[in-house]
């Protein structure tokens, strides 16, 4: 459950969080949490209520930070804890519950564009030895002419300018990525500390933008011509980059552990697992659309696009909004054949090995439903790229009988059965002139066939039913004691 705390409830917050040792000492508080910049952001925009969103590991400092912001900015603050979905995303829903006018997001971020509220990012400053990092880079790439892109976790962005100044003279072909949150599709505004200073003179067709980072390639080069050097710990950010640019060689350096390695993850094996999930999606008759975000811009648009795509492929779809996803929640809906998760890029690649049904991404669902989209080795985790105007948008074929666009059948690689991959226009329901219930007379109605409803009607257990008026009212009595294997009266016997 999402919780918002007023900063005045100090004792309540500390009891809830269950921690007492601060992450940051008072002397480092200003630098770590950028108190002055935060207060300037609030005062310059005239905000009266501000939501401060902390990840779990930084909640211990939330009371001190919120008190400092309230004291200096003369604003009412609310601390957001236990975010609705991933802590990397801005939790606009929780902020709106307390009528906040802006959000200050602390810690790691996926840099997904906000939808409604103005947002300021405070990444923090994880310690890094820049000289050590530069020495590691030179060991991995001894050739000064190497073409390398430097990527990094946002918590190390404060040290990138120093690293750039050390390496630029010896490595003229090294490209440093900058942070740039893309909010062109959303209504929310994004404020610093995003960097945008060194790549402003690039030609538009040479700029690569991905996951809030952007960099400019040398003329005549493509992304595949570069090696990737990532600064940060192993996690979802690195996995996203490796899945997206799966033809590039990756090396990583973790400043926290000083661990250096050439990433040896078997990308082909990982991609084959995802391709298996696509085959499961092609076999599915009933698809569940999981709402995994309420704050990333255009999430409603991709849901509508998925519903239309699934319908045109001859499948049924149902939308589920259930907060944080886990195995027991999804196990309640056995009639669903496959789920598609709409979430930010870092939370899209859900490991569904423990789930009863596979969970795929919007890109994988489109590959399964749209015969015009072929998987040529690229992989897309940002659903905004699939929307009209996106870099990877592919129109769904227009099912027109007059164009002899017949249903195409193929063979399932899992079951070996024949399946239809596309519908004709005559097979699509006319939603504009029909309704779910049709009155036949005063006592009978008929309903359109629903695959999930038929399944629910046919299974033995259909959930708890109150049966009001059918069950007699009786007095409460004391129940049996013990555990089911040996109640207390059974032991006495």
């Amino acid at each position: 459950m999402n919780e918002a705390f007023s900063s005045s409830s100090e004792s309540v917050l500390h009891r809830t969080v269950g921690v007492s040792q601060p992450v940051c000492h008072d002397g480092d508080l200003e630098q770590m949490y950028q108190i002055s910049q935060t207060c300037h952001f609030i005062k310059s925009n005239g905000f009266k209520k501000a939501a401060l969103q902390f990840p779990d590991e930084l909640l211990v400092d939330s009371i001190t930070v919120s008190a400092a912001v309230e004291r200096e900015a003369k604003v009412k603050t609310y601390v957001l804890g236990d975010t609705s979905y991933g802590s990397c995303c801005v939790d606009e829903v929780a902020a709106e519950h307390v009528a906040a006018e802006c959000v200050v997001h602390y810690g790691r971020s996926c840099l997904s564009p906000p939808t409604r509220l103005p947002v300021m990012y405070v990444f923090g400053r994880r310690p890094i030895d820049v000289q050590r990092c530069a020495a590691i880079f030179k060991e991995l790439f001894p050739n000064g002419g190497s073409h390398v892109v430097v990527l990094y976790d946002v918590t190390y962005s404060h040290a990138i300018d120093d690293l750039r100044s050390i390496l630029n003279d010896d490595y003229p072909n090294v490209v440093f990525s900058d942070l740039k949150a893309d909010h062109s599709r959303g209504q929310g505004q994004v404020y610093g500390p995003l960097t945008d200073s060194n790549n402003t003179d690039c030609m538009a067709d040479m700029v690569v933008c991905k996951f809030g980072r952007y960099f400019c390639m040398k003329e005549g080069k493509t992304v595949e011509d570069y090696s990737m050097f990532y600064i940060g710990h192993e996690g979802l950010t690195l996995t996203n980059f490796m899945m997206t640019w799966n033809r590039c060689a990756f090396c990583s350096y973790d400043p926290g552990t000083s661990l250096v390695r050439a990433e040896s993850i078997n990308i082909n094996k990982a991609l084959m697992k995802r391709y298996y999930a696509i085959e499961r999606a092609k076999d599915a008759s009933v698809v569940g659309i999981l709402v995994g975000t309420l704050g990333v811009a255009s999430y409603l648009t991709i849901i509508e696009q998925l519903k239309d795509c699934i319908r045109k492929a001859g499948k049924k779809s149902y939308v589920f909004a259930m907060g944080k996803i886990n195995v027991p929640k999804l196990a309640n809906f056995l009639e669903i054949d496959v789920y598609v998760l709409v979430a930010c890029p870092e939370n899209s690649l859900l490991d569904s090995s423990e789930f009863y049904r596979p969970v795929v991404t919007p890109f994988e669902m489109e590959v399964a439903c749209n015969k015009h989209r072929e998987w040529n080795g690229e992989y897309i985790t940002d659903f905004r790229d699939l929307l009209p105007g996106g870099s990877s948008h592919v129109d769904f074929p227009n099912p027109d009988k007059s164009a002899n666009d017949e249903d195409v059948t193929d063979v399932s690689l899992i079951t070996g059965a024949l399946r239809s991959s596309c519908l004709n226009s005559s097979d699509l329901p006319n939603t504009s002139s029909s309704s779910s219930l049709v009155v036949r007379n005063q006592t009978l109605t008929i309903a359109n066939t629903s695959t999930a409803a038929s399944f629910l009607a046919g299974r033995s257990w259909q959930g708890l039913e109150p049966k009001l008026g059918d069950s007699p009212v009786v007095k409460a009595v004391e129940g049996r004691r013990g555990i089911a294997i040996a109640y207390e009266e059974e032991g006495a016997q």
Side-chain angles (χ1 to χ4, degrees):
M1 176 183 294
N2 187 283
E3 298 179 9
F5 302 94
S6 171
S7 62
S8 59
S9 304
E10 181 171 354
S11 60
V12 175
L13 177 62
H14 278 289
R15 287 199 304 269
T16 305
V17 176
V19 291
S20 57
Q21 295 300 320
V23 174
C24 187
H25 298 289
D26 292 341
D28 302 325
L29 196 71
E30 167 65 33
Q31 184 178 17
M32 175 72 176
Y33 294 101
Q34 300 179 15
I35 303 296
S36 298
Q37 293 92 322
T38 302
C39 294
H40 175 73
F41 159 68
I42 294 173
K43 291 190 293 186
S44 61
N45 289 280
F47 298 134
K48 301 301 181 184
K49 287 185 178 182
L52 310 182
Q53 180 180 336
F54 290 83
D56 291 345
E57 64 271 16
L58 297 181
L59 269 176
V60 64
D61 287 334
S62 59
I63 287 296
T64 307
V65 173
S66 61
V69 172
E70 283 194 351
R71 183 171 57 252
E72 185 173 338
K74 308 301 181 184
V75 64
K76 183 66 174 178
T77 63
Y78 293 86
V79 174
L80 304 185
D82 188 19
T83 53
S84 301
Y85 297 99
S87 61
C88 62
C89 297
V90 177
D91 196 347
E92 292 181 310
V93 174
E96 289 181 334
H97 285 170
V98 295
E101 299 170 317
C102 67
V103 179
V104 181
H105 183 281
Y106 294 95
R108 285 190 63 259
S109 172
C110 58
L111 298 180
S112 298
T115 306
R116 297 172 289 272
L117 295 177
V119 178
M120 176 179 178
Y121 288 103
V122 179
F123 301 131
R125 295 170 175 258
R126 286 191 176 179
I128 176 175
D129 187 340
V130 178
Q131 294 293 338
R132 167 69 174 164
C133 183
I136 292 297
F137 183 91
K138 293 179 180 180
E139 291 179 7
L140 293 173
F141 304 100
N143 182 4
S146 300
H147 288 80
V148 184
V149 175
V150 178
L151 305 168
Y152 47 89
D153 188 279
V154 294
T155 54
Y156 297 108
S157 59
H158 63 95
I160 297 304
D161 286 341
D162 293 337
L163 182 63
R164 192 196 317 258
S165 62
I166 296 175
L167 296 178
N168 264 351
D169 293 338
D170 297 331
Y171 291 88
N173 295 325
V174 170
V175 176
F176 286 83
S177 61
D178 286 320
L179 302 181
K180 185 178 181 68
D182 175 17
H183 58 277
S184 59
R185 299 177 187 267
Q187 298 177 356
Q189 293 177 310
V190 178
Y191 299 83
L194 306 181
T195 58
D196 189 12
S197 57
N198 295 280
N199 293 330
T200 54
D201 58 346
C202 293
M203 296 175 59
D205 58 348
M206 299 169 59
V207 179
V208 177
C209 297
K210 190 65 65 175
F211 309 132
R213 281 87 167 168
Y214 82 107
F215 58 88
C216 300
M217 298 179 294
K218 302 294 182 181
E219 187 174 358
K221 295 291 184 180
T222 64
V223 176
E224 287 75 15
D225 296 324
Y226 286 81
S227 298
M228 303 291 173
F229 179 70
Y230 179 78
I231 302 173
H233 64 279
E234 181 181 358
L236 295 175
T237 303
L238 178 58
T239 301
N240 251 344
F241 282 127
M242 295 182 66
M243 291 290 285
T244 302
W245 296 315
N246 50 69
R247 294 189 179 97
C248 299
F250 273 79
C251 297
S252 67
Y253 168 63
D254 186 351
T257 61
S258 297
L259 180 63
V260 184
R261 66 182 183 185
E263 294 296 335
S264 58
I265 181 175
N266 191 339
I267 291 297
N268 290 331
K269 184 177 180 180
L271 291 175
M272 288 307 297
K273 288 183 178 180
R274 306 310 305 184
Y275 188 77
Y276 173 78
I278 293 176
E279 287 296 313
R280 293 287 299 273
K282 289 181 179 180
D283 289 344
S285 299
V286 183
V287 179
I289 301 176
L290 296 174
V291 181
T293 178
L294 296 176
V296 178
S298 303
Y299 78 95
L300 290 176
T301 307
I302 191 62
I303 289 176
E304 292 302 318
Q305 179 170 306
L306 283 171
K307 290 166 63 177
D308 184 62
C309 179
I310 293 168
R311 178 179 61 87
K312 289 179 178 178
K315 307 176 188 296
K316 301 286 185 179
S317 66
Y318 297 87
V319 179
F320 295 88
M322 57 180 66
K324 293 182 179 179
I325 297 168
N326 56 41
V327 175
K329 286 182 180 179
L330 300 191
N332 290 321
F333 308 98
L334 294 180
E335 57 271 29
I336 302 298
D337 298 321
V338 66
Y339 292 95
V340 53
L341 175 61
V342 176
C344 74
E346 294 201 0
N347 290 321
S348 292
L349 291 174
L350 182 68
D351 182 9
S352 59
S353 58
E354 296 183 356
F355 290 80
Y356 293 98
R357 296 290 187 265
V359 181
V360 301
T361 65
F363 168 70
E364 292 167 346
M365 197 69 233
E366 280 211 357
V367 173
C369 296
N370 189 349
K371 67 178 183 179
H372 283 186
R373 180 181 290 280
E374 296 182 357
W375 193 359
N376 56 7
E378 70 168 348
Y379 197 84
I380 301 167
T381 56
D382 190 346
F383 64 74
R384 295 178 299 129
D385 292 338
L386 307 176
L387 297 173
S391 59
S392 300
H393 174 71
V394 175
D395 289 327
F396 202 93
N398 183 22
D400 188 358
K401 279 285 190 182
S402 62
N404 296 323
D405 188 13
E406 300 293 337
D407 287 353
V408 178
T409 58
D410 63 349
V411 178
S412 169
L413 299 181
I414 298 177
T415 64
L418 289 176
R419 63 191 177 195
S420 176
S421 60
C422 184
L423 282 183
N424 293 316
S425 57
S426 60
D427 297 321
L428 299 178
N430 185 4
T431 56
S432 60
S433 60
S434 65
S435 60
S436 297
L437 296 179
V438 181
V439 178
R440 301 187 66 177
N441 52 47
Q442 296 298 324
T443 59
L444 298 176
T445 59
I446 60 173
N448 292 337
T449 302
S450 170
T451 307
S454 300
F455 180 90
L456 180 62
R459 69 182 185 181
S460 59
W461 187 81
Q462 300 180 12
L464 299 177
E465 299 179 8
K467 294 183 178 180
L468 297 177
D470 297 337
S471 302
V473 179
V474 297
K475 292 184 177 180
V477 296
E478 185 176 352
R480 306 172 74 182
R481 295 184 179 182
I483 58 177
I485 194 174
Y487 288 108
E488 290 182 357
E489 64 268 23
E490 293 176 346
Q493 295 174 359

